Amino acid sequence: MEVTEIRMLRWMCGHTRLDRIRNEVFRERLGIVSVCEKIKEGRLRWYGHVKGRQETAPVIAVETLNVEGRRSRGRPKLTWEERIRQDLLELHLSEDMIHDRCSWRRRIKVKDF
């Protein structure tokens, strides 16, 4: 995903890889943060929204839903819960921080250049 993003940023600026300009230069010039970081921010925003809901909410029921059947062969796909756990570790956050909405929003917000 990042490769495609950088390729588009280079194209917008009229440069190619042969010009040997670092990716950070394009991000700073255009004032754009990584798409992956924005996706992580949205994922954590949704997580905070779900955890703030009441126990009777349908979203909570879906979160604890157990699907029957077998997975396909090969490496197992990363689940939403595992991805959220990784994001929380990366940003040094815990589930308890969700209850302070202003602080949570400030900590998950991706800083622009």
Side-chain angles (χ1 to χ4, degrees):
M1 188 179 323
E2 288 185 35
V3 172
T4 304
E5 176 192 9
I6 289 296
R7 197 176 284 165
M8 288 181 194
L9 295 179
R10 286 178 185 278
W11 176 68
M12 286 171 48
C13 293
H15 292 283
T16 65
R17 293 265 306 141
L18 296 175
D19 296 331
R20 299 181 60 85
I21 301 173
R22 294 195 153 277
N23 297 340
E24 294 83 26
V25 173
F26 292 108
R27 287 193 195 285
E28 287 176 14
R29 187 181 298 168
L30 297 172
I32 297 174
V33 295
S34 171
V35 170
C36 293
E37 293 296 318
K38 290 302 277 183
I39 291 171
K40 183 190 309 181
E41 177 185 336
R43 191 168 41 235
L44 288 171
R45 279 180 47 210
W46 177 251
Y47 179 70
H49 173 72
V50 169
K51 288 297 178 184
R53 301 292 303 247
Q54 297 175 354
E55 293 295 321
T56 59
V59 174
I60 302 296
V62 169
E63 186 181 25
T64 59
L65 186 67
N66 191 7
V67 179
E68 292 182 19
R70 294 187 55 173
R71 288 182 170 228
S72 59
R73 288 177 34 163
R75 181 178 178 183
K77 300 277 190 265
L78 197 64
T79 64
W80 188 73
E81 289 176 3
E82 292 166 349
R83 184 70 239 183
I84 290 293
R85 203 171 305 121
Q86 288 177 358
D87 291 343
L88 292 175
L89 284 174
E90 258 180 53
L91 296 175
H92 307 292
L93 300 171
S94 69
E95 276 192 38
D96 302 334
M97 296 176 180
I98 293 172
H99 303 294
D100 183 7
R101 292 177 61 200
C102 292
S103 173
W104 178 257
R105 211 174 285 135
R106 196 171 38 252
R107 294 183 123 219
I108 66 171
K109 181 78 173 146
V110 176
K111 309 290 189 278
D112 294 331
F113 284 98

